[in-house]
Amino acid sequence: MGICFGKRKKSTAEIVPQKQPTTTVRLYGSPSSTNYIRFALKYKEAAVSLRCMVVARSNDDNDDNDEDYRNLVVAMEVEEGGSSSEPAERVSGPPNTLLQLIEARFPHPPLLLQTGSSSETQPTSLVAAVVKLTELQHRSLAWHLERLVRWVMDLLKRPGKERGGVVDPTVGSARMEVRKLGRNYSQLLELMLEHAQMEERLLFPIFNYCDPGICKAANEEHARDLPIMNGIKEDIKSIEVLDIGSRDYKEALSNFSKRLKSLQERYRQHFTEEEREVLPYMEAAELSKEQQQRLLDECLDVMQQSHSSHLFNFLLEGLLPREAMHYLELISMSTNKQRTTSLLHMII
């Protein structure tokens, strides 16, 4: 038995009974079988004073990583802290059923569509799953690009030295921020390259088979953007060694901001065109069910780093909670069930 998401600082609610009590959610099952629900509760913790605990059941000793979490039955018990007069509410069922109950009990942030029907979050076919997977990757990439643009703008507004020589511990010095920005961009670059490789190796050949030349413009954009992305990485390295606040530093940061904004605009247009003019052709390809399953599996295989402990949290960070849950449902449709289980285990 233990708290799922690390140690929490003691809140006033736990010390003074008059304050709003903590809600405790106990999950009965193995760590593997409860990972999906703990992943959902992780998003709810920010809005609810919530504590999640896992209680191992005697018949849940077999923690099979190849088992599909969607077919497991999990028991969940919800108890409002400080109200011993009211018995805990206990229910059991497959994860999607429990997720709907969690959504009704703790509505913010939303993890399902407004209808609350988990079936509606599922695509109608495996090929539709590949299309949605691609679109959600676009959302994450666009969010991270926007974040970097805002980050650089903030650095440009900063004075050359921290006021009074004191560094804000929650932000750090400007030099520390530039280094963090560089690490963040390196992760984004890796994600962008894997995404582009997935499209070029697996999706574009399908479109060209149906209609030769349909992806000519998209392929050209990928080839044109690669030098720009690598050049931006070199820009960051140059900025890191300049004297913070100097004229050269300000000029380099300003030029870097312009290049990053230009890249952001290019990708915004690129994603829009792909989703409007290219991806809709996927359904027209008339792939067999076996071909669709192989395509989904291979898409995830190509993006190995993005779907590992190295980058998966970074990818999910660029999605809304509802989109992140949807993305997890999509990758769980792969035949590699161990991958989904290990990703969930890593996040939790």
Side-chain angles (χ1 to χ4, degrees):
M1 181 185 299
I3 298 174
C4 299
F5 306 121
K7 296 181 180 178
R8 299 184 304 119
K9 293 181 180 179
K10 220 154 195 31
S11 67
T12 309
E14 293 174 285
I15 301 170
V16 184
Q18 297 94 316
K19 300 294 182 180
Q20 183 179 0
T22 298
T23 300
T24 299
V25 177
R26 294 185 181 86
L27 300 174
Y28 293 83
S30 67
S32 177
S33 65
T34 58
N35 272 341
Y36 179 71
I37 297 301
R38 287 189 286 163
F39 179 67
L41 290 171
K42 181 179 180 181
Y43 284 109
K44 301 293 186 180
E45 285 187 320
V48 182
S49 182
L50 190 66
R51 180 174 60 176
C52 173
M53 307 177 73
V54 175
V55 182
R57 295 189 299 201
S58 58
N59 59 342
D60 282 318
D61 294 333
N62 182 20
D63 197 6
D64 187 358
N65 285 336
D66 291 326
E67 192 169 10
D68 188 348
Y69 72 85
R70 293 174 297 177
N71 298 324
L72 298 170
V73 175
V74 180
M76 179 177 72
E77 187 176 83
V78 181
E79 179 181 355
E80 296 292 347
S83 76
S84 56
S85 58
E86 295 185 10
E89 175 187 352
R90 185 169 181 175
V91 292
S92 62
N96 279 337
T97 300
L98 298 187
L99 181 57
Q100 292 182 41
L101 295 174
I102 290 171
E103 191 79 339
R105 185 70 175 268
F106 314 113
H108 302 292
L111 301 180
L112 299 174
L113 296 181
Q114 291 182 355
T115 58
S117 171
S118 60
S119 62
E120 291 195 27
T121 66
Q122 292 292 341
T124 55
S125 66
L126 287 170
V127 72
V130 172
V131 170
K132 189 61 183 178
L133 199 78
T134 305
E135 291 175 348
L136 287 174
Q137 289 172 8
H138 288 172
R139 302 294 177 275
S140 179
L141 291 170
W143 184 89
H144 280 290
L145 274 169
E146 174 67 21
R147 178 171 179 248
L148 284 173
V149 168
R150 292 178 180 274
W151 200 340
V152 177
M153 293 302 295
D154 178 67
L155 284 170
L156 277 169
K157 294 175 184 178
R158 284 200 193 184
K161 295 184 180 296
E162 281 67 31
R163 185 174 299 176
V166 178
V167 176
D168 182 350
T170 64
V171 177
S173 68
R175 189 173 300 282
M176 291 168 63
E177 283 296 285
V178 171
R179 288 172 181 166
K180 286 190 286 186
L181 186 146
R183 291 194 295 270
N184 195 277
Y185 182 77
S186 294
Q187 290 179 298
L188 175 59
L189 180 58
E190 191 169 355
L191 183 59
M192 293 168 84
L193 292 176
E194 282 200 341
H195 173 81
Q197 185 183 39
M198 180 270 288
E199 290 184 335
E200 292 168 4
R201 286 177 54 182
L202 301 174
L203 303 190
F204 290 176
I206 294 174
F207 300 138
N208 280 326
Y209 176 78
C210 300
D211 185 357
I214 194 173
C215 295
K216 184 174 183 291
N219 267 314
E220 289 175 350
E221 286 183 14
H222 283 187
R224 186 170 60 244
D225 289 341
L226 180 59
I228 296 174
M229 292 187 293
N230 288 330
I232 288 175
K233 187 173 183 179
E234 293 304 313
D235 285 347
I236 298 174
K237 291 180 180 178
S238 299
I239 294 170
E240 287 180 357
V241 300
L242 293 175
D243 184 24
I244 301 298
S246 68
R247 190 176 201 177
D248 289 343
Y249 168 81
K250 288 288 186 181
E251 184 178 351
L253 203 58
S254 178
N255 290 335
F256 171 66
S257 175
K258 292 174 184 176
R259 293 187 69 176
L260 196 58
K261 285 181 180 178
S262 177
L263 182 68
Q264 180 192 25
E265 184 55 37
R266 291 167 71 92
Y267 265 89
R268 183 186 290 122
Q269 182 178 354
H270 175 68
F271 292 157
T272 300
E273 290 176 353
E274 267 193 9
E275 292 174 17
R276 186 178 63 234
E277 301 173 9
V278 179
L279 291 178
Y281 282 92
M282 184 68 79
E283 289 284 358
E286 297 183 343
L287 301 177
S288 68
K289 189 172 181 179
E290 292 74 17
Q291 288 174 319
Q292 293 180 41
Q293 184 66 68
R294 186 164 62 250
L295 176 63
L296 176 62
D297 291 342
E298 289 177 349
C299 283
L300 298 175
D301 289 341
V302 169
M303 299 187 68
Q304 287 184 4
Q305 295 301 314
S306 303
H307 296 84
S308 70
S309 59
H310 181 55
L311 276 180
F312 192 60
N313 271 317
F314 182 81
L315 190 157
L316 293 183
E317 187 183 4
L319 299 175
L320 295 171
R322 179 170 51 198
E323 293 171 333
M325 293 298 296
H326 194 175
Y327 196 87
L328 186 63
E329 290 289 337
L330 293 172
I331 65 174
S332 73
M333 299 173 73
S334 165
T335 56
N336 188 347
K337 303 305 177 186
Q338 185 175 0
R339 172 169 31 214
T340 309
T341 302
S342 61
L343 285 174
L344 275 168
H345 184 70
M346 177 269 299
I347 295 170
I348 302 304

